[in-house]
Amino acid sequence: MSKFSELINQDQPVLVDFYADWCGPCKMLAPILKQVKDELGAEVAILKIDVDKNQALASKYQVRGVPTMLLFKNGKQVWRQSGVLQKEEIIKVINTA
């Protein structure tokens, strides 16, 4: 958990993707997040958290469905969304955070 706290306490926005290997929509979201990272580069950090391997973390953030994305800025959660979003929507959220 402390490693996670360290990661979300960066100056740049950190997008956390809570996913599961068995989840169809999660598989659709993965290439979209890659495009977001390719476009924004160092402006954003993207973390993928497997809910099956990190149940305590998923529980702490009350992740009940996957995929769920959380956006952190300086360690504070500033946005949350479940489901698949398009690249443009995700980039807009990151840029306005």
Side-chain angles (χ1 to χ4, degrees), residues 11-15 40 43-44 70-74 76-80 89-97:
D11 291 337
Q12 83 213 73
V14 179
L15 183 68
L40 294 179
E43 290 175 45
V44 67
L70 278 66
L71 184 66
F72 291 90
K73 197 155 188 192
N74 299 319
K76 303 241 184 322
Q77 183 182 321
V78 293
W79 176 83
R80 174 190 188 111
E89 294 174 285
I90 297 170
I91 288 174
K92 187 175 159 199
V93 164
I94 292 167
N95 286 337
T96 56

Side-chain angles (χ1 to χ4, degrees), residues 50-93:
D50 184 333
V51 293
D52 293 326
K53 294 183 180 130
N54 298 282
Q55 291 175 341
L57 201 54
S59 164
K60 178 181 177 190
Y61 289 99
Q62 299 171 343
V63 174
R64 294 195 176 84
V66 284
T68 294
M69 291 179 283
L70 278 66
L71 184 66
F72 291 90
K73 197 155 188 192
N74 299 319
K76 303 241 184 322
Q77 183 182 321
V78 293
W79 176 83
R80 174 190 188 111
Q81 177 76 46
S82 292
V84 177
L85 292 179
Q86 294 312 306
K87 178 185 83 164
E88 293 74 24
E89 294 174 285
I90 297 170
I91 288 174
K92 187 175 159 199
V93 164

Side-chain angles (χ1 to χ4, degrees), residues 18-45:
F18 284 93
Y19 77 99
D21 289 332
W22 45 262
C23 158
C26 299
K27 291 185 174 90
M28 289 166 46
L29 186 61
I32 295 170
L33 291 178
K34 187 184 178 326
Q35 292 169 359
V36 169
K37 183 63 179 165
D38 289 347
E39 193 161 314
L40 294 179
E43 290 175 45
V44 67

